């Protein structure tokens, strides 16, 4: 059997079809699909990827059949269109486009208006009565052909064009006359001759061959090979070439062009949506030079075309079972569909459309679940900056909004308030009006201010910086690491270049994009528990296998988590409780004690407070598990900063303060010095604290078990799980578990009752993952702390990596910020290994993840694939995780999954 | 076939032999071996480990054959000794000892003098004419039996004994009379009755059975099971029980006891060496109450016994092919050998003995290589604190030495000098007399002082702290992390408790033990390149397969490395060059520059200096490879400290300094703030620097390649290897390698000549190890940076882990400091994985290690086992690595190796 190299499409029938992406590329397959669906697509033909592969195998020569087959297809096209390529009087014009199996945006070369030459351009001008259009088309063709085929730098053409504009004193391209454009053409041709030593090719069939070969060659240009390497696309696939008849919407008053959606992409309402312009080209609609007209008005102008367009787009929506974003052109009264694709939409629209399409019988529930990007749900759960009809942000006052900086979208939502620079000011001024806390970076000391602020803005730190993590937990808007802003808390001002933001100035944050505005924006509250949303999430829960828990430290967060559908708490960070005003002094006393007895005394003060917190969590999670992590952060986080104390001491001495006061401060400094660490992330923290000071673990275990017993007595079903952090060797866990078990027995004996509890560990140190078979002998559950595991696996401090993560993503060293999207290759390898090894030793081991990745859709899908039992994330991300978990099931074994994991 | 449970030894023949450790345990096998070698060993029998295993399997009951077989063996023993166990007039006394296949020191229970009771003690007193001895023997027996068998706490016996001493106003045990001891016995017996409700058992055979069962049970006591778990000794081996006739050296003037060595363990000289006492027990020789007599004098007192002892010990040395450390007892003119084992010796002696034994034909060279612990070689390469004949340290002046603290033995050797507290003082005062630099911790800024100081003492930091690493590289003595010392550099004093050390005081450091002495000790220079040493190292080089390179930063170190036998440089840390006084200013200018142009200007100043350094290294390593690492540390290490600047600025403001000066200082502070990192170890360092500032890598690559070309032109064989640090993903290396290759081509083109060079990477980030197959596609060599790899795999900062490493080792969480001895289970797993994955992609990949572990014997053996090509370590550790590498070959597949890896 002969290899088929050329596939025709047109006249209601295509040689290929939509599934032939391998041979026809994505674009070619789509054109065939639309043609077969009887859509009025400009006809043409696709030269197969096989020709491209052969071209490279044979060192730049095509198989002999390609030329005759191409000539045949071209003849069919000419017949169908009633025009001939290269005809001096009525030329057929075609576009030549690449199109590979996998979309490779940015490397695609396109040549439009092929077939024009000096004579046919002149004929076109005459025939159309529109010489400006004819010469503009010709000069565009020379420019694209010159660049793509003849490899003349774009800039050289632009230089000529700009020169002509200057001469004509034209600001816009459209202000150039046909004479101006003729001059451009003349100079372009001179340029071509100068660069290639040859005149610009006038013979149309020759143009076509040259364009085809150039497109084939572009498969191996540097951009394309790099893109393929980064995206793991095989090098031997090759690209197809699509040759298609050109259509024009600017041939007079019966021509036109437009874009539209089959449903409203902003609200999801089932209404025909879009806009158009008569006697215009596609770029006129989007450039804003002329104001486009709402698409419904087309009905009055060309009722038959409008009816046909509605009918076609409805059919398209039903064919693709999704909202269609389409482009059309009307050439002299005849409608052509140029493109259709699934339409982008807001989160709100996505959910509404998915639910509607199920009621309409268009989609099954399972299909509907795949129509919403999990990350989009975020928009339904947080307030948003309000936009006017044109998508321009609306100001609340008279003052205009000024976009001053962009940071990381650290915690979604919108926040509007007056600027404050310290946590104390936040509390004070926050009582009077909405405030935004602006800091270089936040520290645990700032918690009281962060609780009050409407939003947080920091100039340093990444997606998992303190500010980001804490605000996401609170469901509060945060823009982090906005490096352009220079915060000077002492002077109570922040500078962005020459602009100075003072305390009290209004600013507005968009936590979903990271944008920072000077001025007071209008916000809108979304409808978080709308009927559609609840219906949709219910379907997700029916499908998913992965459990979804929430990270919550206090009862209020736990209640929010339940509302968002969390099935338990995957991580309660007990240390967050110690920063409260009534607790911090005891915590500090404990840390400053230099013997066990004094430490125990302070811990005894903390015990009832912790117990009460835990009781609240257990009540909120009646029937669901609650994982409580023992103390994790380095102790100096609870004390004043070393450098601040050093300055204070120096100043006290300089000012000759009373000797006793100096000594007191020096003593505190000495203790802070003792606790000072060069790399606190790798220092005395996590279970190392509980091992060096076993009495801390003892107190916490006692508070947990006592709380569990107390609440259980009231008829609540408690499922406590005690989690030991930062374990690197099994014996660390053994020693800490021994303490928990001993304390539990004491509490049970005293209470005269028992509750079931588990002791497990976080896997957040590479060594724990490497030796997970050993660790699992003592651990009843594993929870991957992928924040820390990412830090140690990469050797990246999440607080410091901001400086190089951006260049790293720009240089394509990293695909994503690994603190935002789990690195499946490296960190994921450890997760997979530890899960397997752990279950080897203990088949019933419960395995979950409680790092920030637990709420990131791709990471959730990875967790499903490696067989975790649950993910845990901020309460506000729980719906996202639920949907991602459902999609993971639906995509299992599919091509989409193969692509994701490639 | 019946299982044999009881093995007799005595009368010149044993049922078992030395290879039966499985059944007889180590001790039992040794006794059988000595008996078969016709040595006069007190006879006895061993009850097999199989009896112990059966005892536990049957829930505390022995197989029925054990009792009759034991009775038979006991009868043979009684016959041989002419005494009967439990005989009221002339009782046979026996010892009962445990002894498992693997030595388990500290869990062993021993019962001596078993067979005594009220009547036989009395008879013994009468018969020996030595009632004191008889009752002392009896009370010791009751105490041991009471504790081991009857489980009465030791303290209760000691309480009674101390009470009796107080009553008798005796300071030493020996001052108690036989009457006093009789009272002790009486009270001991009362205690037993009170605790057990039974009188102390008087029936000797019953005593024996009870003792035997108690020893069996001790196999499963908590100490023993913990020890086995930690040492990976299987729980089902069981212990044997050894029952052996007692002998006594204190029965009169024809009795005696002594210890000795077959050669001088201090010098290695082939001379009979030891001491003895007549009419004494073993403990009298070591307790110092009586002064023992040199062993040669025994010849005059008992010529026949002396002749026999010499003959036996010579035979033992030849049998075991090693120096023997033996114990003997003469009971009434008859010589008994109680123990013999391979003797401990100094490094110097070890080498001399090994070489001598080869000349004597006693050992092959390969055997001799296994007779020296690699770590001992250290003693041959550094000065030592001089000891007098009694092992007491000798003072240089009149003042006595006072041992004031013990830190970590961070860098071996001895150092004596006057205390200084800053690097500048070190340089100033070091010009006048020897000085020791005492710091809380050293920083790169201190280098100029460290170069001058005789030794370094720090109160913080571990075995791989800055002070430790740098001094080991310099071969200079260092005691690090002596936490008892409080350094106050400002006041120029250091406190140890109430003792205050002032600037100018003499102190002495023992870098091999970590001891710190106040006062001026005498030192002695060893003979580093003695003939024996050279001969011995030559044999090691013949055997080993692993290459040994050195870590050396400057030509002087490189020359030292060659003298110690290094075959190349495995790591040159280029940043150490930047701290020199002529370079630091340019480095700082480079860092403070805020644009590429200014950075390049400063780098251009550094280029010729780096080139010169590299030329020196290449010359020193003519024909050997030189691995040069590009810039690694975070940039703020080159700038003043942030907190110091903060204090300065605050003080300048308080003192109203000129505004311009304040602003200048604030600008510097701002830049330091910009560079400030929470966890610099995980921040902008390593190749991240070279990626963010490619011009740095460019300059360094240029300096390396230019140096190589220049030196090669002079006929030196250069083998440059450029090493990119801290790679975590392949593309980091790709980008850095591209720079190196581009620069190299430029240099070659200009020079008109080429040199071969390689580009490779350190593997020091877990992710690099996990993805080593990918990384190896661009890396021509791997070098494991096991310091950093240990930090990230464990999540331990080497600068901060001092606080918990000690408790971790005490609590047996860690076997060793993982920065000193490579963690084979975790870090080693990554090393092994990366080596395999790397060679999968690139079979010819050169793989080595350049972390501090490269000079630690166990780690070197691990490197051999996983198939590395070479290790690299401090120059002074090169001989250690050479020997360890040879031993790794010799031990391949042996039991010793199995034990190490277990």
């Amino acid at each position: 059997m002969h290899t088929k190299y050329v596939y025709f499409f047109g006249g209601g029938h295509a040689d290929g079809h939509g599934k032939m992406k391998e041979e026809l590329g994505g674009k070619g397959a789509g054109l065939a699909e639309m043609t077969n669906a009887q859509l009025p697509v400009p006809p043409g033909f696709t030269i197969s990827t096989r020709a491209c592969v052969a071209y490279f195998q044979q060192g730049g020569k095509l198989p002999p059949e390609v030329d005759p087959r191409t000539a045949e297809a071209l003849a069919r096209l000419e017949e169908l269109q009633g025009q001939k390529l290269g005809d001096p009087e009525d030329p057929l014009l075609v576009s030549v486009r690449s199109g590979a199996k996998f979309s490779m945006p940015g490397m695609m070369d396109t040549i439009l208006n092929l077939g024009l030459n000096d004579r046919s351009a002149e004929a076109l001008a005459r025939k159309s009565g529109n010489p400006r259009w004819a010469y503009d088309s010709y000069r565009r063709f020379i420019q694209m052909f010159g660049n793509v085929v003849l490899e003349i730098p774009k800039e050289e053409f632009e230089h000529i064009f700009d020169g002509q504009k200057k001469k004509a004193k034209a600001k816009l391209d459209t202000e150039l006359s046909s004479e101006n454009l003729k001059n451009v053409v003349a100079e372009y041709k001179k340029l071509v001759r100068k660069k290639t030593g040859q005149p610009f090719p006038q013979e149309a069939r020759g143009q076509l061959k040259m364009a085809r070969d150039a497109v084939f060659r572009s498969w191996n240009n540097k951009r394309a090979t790099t893109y393929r390497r980064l995206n793991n696309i095989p090098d031997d696939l090759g690209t197809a070439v699509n040759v298609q008849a050109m259509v024009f919407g600017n041939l007079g008053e019966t021509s036109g062009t437009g874009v539209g959606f089959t449903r409203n992409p902003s609200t999801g309402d089932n209404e025909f949506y879009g806009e158009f312009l008569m006697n215009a080209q596609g770029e006129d609609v989007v450039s804003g030079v002329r104001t486009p007209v709402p698409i419904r008005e087309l009905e009055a102008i060309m009722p038959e075309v409008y009816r046909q367009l509605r009918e076609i787009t409805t059919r398209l929506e039903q064919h693709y079972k999704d909202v269609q974003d389409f482009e059309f052109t009307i050439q002299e009264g005849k409608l052509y569909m140029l493109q259709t694709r699934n339409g982008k939409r807001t989160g709100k629209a996505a959910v509404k459309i998915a639910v509607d399409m199920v009621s309409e019988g268009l989609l099954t529930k399972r299909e509907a679940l795949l129509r919403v990007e999990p990350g989009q749900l975020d928009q339904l759960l947080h307030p948003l900056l309000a936009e006017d009809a044109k998508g321009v942000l609306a100001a609340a006052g008279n003052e205009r909004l000024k976009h001053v900086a962009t940071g990381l979208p650290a915690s979604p939502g919108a926040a509007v308030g007056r600027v404050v620079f310290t946590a104390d000011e936040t509390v004070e001024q926050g009582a009077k009006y909405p405030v935004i806390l602006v800091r270089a970076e936040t520290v645990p000391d700032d918690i009281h201010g962060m609780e009050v602020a409407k939003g947080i803005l920091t100039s340093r730190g990444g997606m998992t910086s303190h500010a980001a993590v804490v605000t996401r937990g609170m469901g509060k808007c945060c823009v982090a690491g906005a490096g352009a802003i220079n915060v000077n808390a002492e002077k109570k001002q922040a500078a962005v270049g020459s602009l100075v933001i003072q305390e009290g100035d209004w600013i507005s944050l968009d936590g979903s994009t990271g944008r920072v505005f000077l001025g007071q924006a209008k916000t809108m509250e979304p409808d978080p528990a709308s009927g559609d949303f609840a219906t949709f999430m219910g379907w997700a829960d029916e499908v998913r296998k992965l459990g979804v828990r929430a990270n919550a430290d206090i009862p209020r967060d736990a209640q929010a988590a339940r509302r968002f559908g969390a099935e338990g708490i995957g991580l309660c960070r007990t240390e967050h409780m110690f920063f409260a005003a009534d607790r911090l002094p005891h915590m500090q006393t404990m840390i400053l004690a230099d013997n066990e007895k004094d430490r125990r005394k302070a811990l005894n003060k903390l015990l009832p407070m912790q117990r009460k917190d835990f009781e609240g969590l257990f009540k909120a999670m009646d029937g669901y598990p609650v994982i409580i992590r023992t103390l994790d952060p380095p102790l100096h986080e609870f004390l004043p900063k070393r450098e601040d104390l050093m300055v204070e001491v120096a100043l006290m001495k300089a000012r000759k303060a009373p000797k006793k006061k100096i000594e007191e401060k020096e003593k505190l400094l000495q203790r802070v010095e003792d606790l000072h660490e060069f790399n606190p992330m790798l220092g005395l923290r996590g279970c190392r604290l509980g091992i060096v000071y076993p009495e801390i673990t003892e107190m916490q275990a006692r508070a947990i078990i006592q709380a569990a017993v107390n609440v259980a007595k009231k008829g609540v079903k408690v499922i406590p799980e005690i989690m030991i952090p930062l374990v690197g060797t099994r014996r660390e866990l053994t020693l800490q578990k021994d303490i928990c078990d001993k304390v539990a027995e004491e509490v049970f004996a005293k209470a005269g009752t028992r509750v079931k509890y588990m002791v497990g560990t976080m896997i957040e140190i590479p060594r724990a993952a490497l030796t997970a078979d050993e660790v699992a002998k003592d651990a009843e559950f594993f929870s991957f702390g992928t924040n820390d595991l990412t830090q140690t696996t990469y050797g990246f401090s999440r607080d410091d990596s901001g400086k190089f993560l951006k260049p790293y993503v720009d240089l394509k060293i990293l695909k994503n910020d690994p603190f935002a999207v789990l690195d499946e290759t490296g960190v994921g390898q450890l997760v997979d290994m530890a899960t397997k090894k752990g279950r080897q030793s203990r088949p019933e081991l419960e395995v979950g993840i409680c790092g920030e990745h637990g709420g990131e859709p791709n990471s959730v899908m990875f967790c499903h694939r490696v067989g975790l039992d649950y993910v845990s994330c901020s309460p506000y991300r729980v719906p996202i995780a639920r949907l991602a978990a459902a999609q993971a099931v639906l995509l299992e074994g599919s091509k989409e999954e193969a692509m994701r994991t490639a």
Side-chain angles (χ1 to χ4, degrees), chain A residues 307-324:
Chain A
R307 193 201 55 71
Q308 198 190 351
L309 182 64
R310 287 249 31 191
E311 192 261 329
I312 285 171
T313 55
T314 304
R315 202 136 54 77
L316 277 171
E317 186 182 274
Q318 277 166 350
H319 182 77
Y320 287 107
K321 295 181 169 190
D322 204 347
V323 176
Q324 293 302 298

Side-chain angles (χ1 to χ4, degrees), chain A residues 140-166:
Chain A
R140 282 175 199 263
F141 169 54
I142 300 174
Q143 183 167 344
M144 284 188 269
F145 191 94
N147 175 243
V148 173
V149 182
L150 307 175
E151 295 174 4
I152 300 167
K154 257 187 201 143
E155 299 70 36
E156 308 219 13
F157 289 105
E158 277 160 13
H159 182 72
I160 291 171
F161 193 71
D162 289 342
Q164 194 59 234
K165 268 168 81 180
K166 216 176 247 170

Side-chain angles (χ1 to χ4, degrees), chain A residues 280-346:
Chain A
Q281 274 190 310
E283 59 186 51
D284 299 330
V285 180
V286 289
S287 71
V289 178
R290 286 164 62 188
T291 306
V293 182
I295 202 160
R296 292 203 153 267
E297 296 182 18
L298 182 63
E299 190 166 15
I301 303 170
M302 300 183 95
E304 178 49 27
V305 167
Y306 181 76
R307 193 201 55 71
Q308 198 190 351
L309 182 64
R310 287 249 31 191
E311 192 261 329
I312 285 171
T313 55
T314 304
R315 202 136 54 77
L316 277 171
E317 186 182 274
Q318 277 166 350
H319 182 77
Y320 287 107
K321 295 181 169 190
D322 204 347
V323 176
Q324 293 302 298
D325 166 1
F326 54 83
E327 291 175 26
F328 63 93
T329 284
I330 307 163
Q331 181 176 307
E332 296 174 328
K334 181 165 165 40
L335 174 70
Y336 291 98
M337 296 304 295
L338 295 190
Q339 177 154 323
T340 187
R341 57 186 171 194
N342 296 338
K344 289 204 189 311
R345 68 211 82 169
T346 65

Side-chain angles (χ1 to χ4, degrees), chain A residues 440-496:
Chain A
E441 76 243 353
T442 63
V443 293
D445 264 359
D446 294 332
I447 290 276
H448 60 296
M450 295 172 77
E451 293 250 352
V452 170
K454 294 290 165 195
I456 312 289
L457 168 62
T458 69
S459 60
R460 282 198 216 139
M463 289 299 286
T464 55
S465 62
H466 178 264
V469 172
V470 171
T471 49
R472 277 202 293 277
M474 294 175 170
K476 183 166 287 188
C477 166
C478 174
V479 173
I485 301 179
N486 252 303
V487 178
N488 189 328
E490 210 178 310
K491 290 194 185 160
K492 296 197 177 183
Q493 62 184 35
V496 193

Side-chain angles (χ1 to χ4, degrees), chain A residues 32 39 242 276 288 355 513 650 701 714 721 729 745 853 878:
Chain A
L39 301 185
N242 297 290
F276 76 102
V355 172
T513 62
K714 290 180 190 150
E721 305 186 21
T729 72
E745 289 307 323
H853 301 100
V878 164

Side-chain angles (χ1 to χ4, degrees), chain A residues 82-393:
Chain A
Q83 292 175 311
K84 281 199 176 300
L85 189 73
D87 188 293
E89 289 308 312
D90 183 18
L92 170 70
L93 302 187
V94 296
S95 62
V96 180
R97 289 179 167 101
S98 66
K101 179 179 176 187
F102 299 109
S103 169
M104 293 166 60
M107 67 142 284
M108 298 285 187
D109 284 330
T110 293
I111 297 170
L112 300 179
N113 305 335
L114 186 138
L116 280 174
N117 56 23
D118 295 352
R119 281 185 64 189
S120 60
E122 184 54 38
L124 214 60
R126 244 184 298 122
K127 204 169 157 254
S128 67
N130 192 341
R132 204 200 158 281
W133 165 69
Y135 283 100
D136 193 41
S137 299
Y138 191 28
R139 74 97 192 160
R140 282 175 199 263
F141 169 54
I142 300 174
Q143 183 167 344
M144 284 188 269
F145 191 94
N147 175 243
V148 173
V149 182
L150 307 175
E151 295 174 4
I152 300 167
K154 257 187 201 143
E155 299 70 36
E156 308 219 13
F157 289 105
E158 277 160 13
H159 182 72
I160 291 171
F161 193 71
D162 289 342
Q164 194 59 234
K165 268 168 81 180
K166 216 176 247 170
K167 237 190 214 162
K169 295 190 175 133
K171 272 192 181 169
L172 296 173
D173 294 3
T174 47
E175 294 171 30
L176 290 180
S177 68
S178 62
E179 279 316 302
N180 296 145
L181 291 165
K182 268 189 193 172
N183 290 341
V184 172
V185 165
E187 287 201 50
Y188 276 9
K189 291 199 309 187
K190 252 190 244 163
L191 174 66
V192 168
R193 181 182 283 273
K194 190 179 133 209
K195 286 284 172 181
T196 66
Q198 303 280 339
F200 183 77
Q202 296 288 317
E203 204 281 300
R205 270 150 228 269
Q207 289 173 354
L208 182 59
K209 280 185 191 167
M210 289 170 82
R212 174 195 65 195
D213 292 357
V215 171
F216 281 150
R217 282 195 304 272
S218 73
W219 174 255
N220 274 340
N221 72 24
K222 204 166 174 222
R223 254 181 320 160
T225 46
T226 306
Y227 183 89
R228 286 200 297 275
R229 183 150 54 85
L230 287 172
N231 292 279
N232 274 308
I233 298 175
D235 278 331
D236 56 3
L237 295 177
T239 181
V241 171
N242 297 290
V243 179
Q244 192 177 16
M246 294 287 304
V247 289
F248 297 94
N250 55 354
L251 287 183
E253 289 314 310
T254 57
S255 297
T257 191
V259 298
F261 285 83
T262 52
R263 303 189 186 216
N264 186 319
S266 178
T267 63
D269 289 341
N270 191 351
E271 61 186 7
F272 199 51
Y273 182 95
E275 41 194 27
F276 76 102
L277 276 174
M278 295 309 286
N279 196 12
Q281 274 190 310
E283 59 186 51
D284 299 330
V285 180
V286 289
S287 71
V289 178
R290 286 164 62 188
T291 306
V293 182
I295 202 160
R296 292 203 153 267
E297 296 182 18
L298 182 63
E299 190 166 15
I301 303 170
M302 300 183 95
E304 178 49 27
V305 167
Y306 181 76
R307 193 201 55 71
Q308 198 190 351
L309 182 64
R310 287 249 31 191
E311 192 261 329
I312 285 171
T313 55
T314 304
R315 202 136 54 77
L316 277 171
E317 186 182 274
Q318 277 166 350
H319 182 77
Y320 287 107
K321 295 181 169 190
D322 204 347
V323 176
Q324 293 302 298
D325 166 1
F326 54 83
E327 291 175 26
F328 63 93
T329 284
I330 307 163
Q331 181 176 307
E332 296 174 328
K334 181 165 165 40
L335 174 70
Y336 291 98
M337 296 304 295
L338 295 190
Q339 177 154 323
T340 187
R341 57 186 171 194
N342 296 338
K344 289 204 189 311
R345 68 211 82 169
T346 65
K348 192 181 160 172
V351 171
K352 179 167 172 45
I353 290 167
V355 172
D356 283 353
M357 283 187 170
V358 172
S359 346
E360 293 162 20
L362 199 56
L363 293 181
T364 65
K365 290 176 189 176
R366 295 169 74 92
E367 286 169 335
L369 285 170
L370 290 169
R371 290 287 185 276
V372 180
E373 283 285 332
Q376 288 188 305
L377 295 181
D378 228 19
Q379 299 167 16
L380 280 91
L381 306 167
H382 298 279
L384 293 170
L385 291 182
E387 297 179 349
D388 66 14
K390 294 200 168 181
V392 177
L393 293 182

Side-chain angles (χ1 to χ4, degrees), chain A residues 850-864:
Chain A
C850 64
E852 285 290 310
H853 301 100
E856 191 284 317
N858 284 305
S859 312
V860 171
M861 295 193 190
F862 173 79
C863 291
H864 172 85

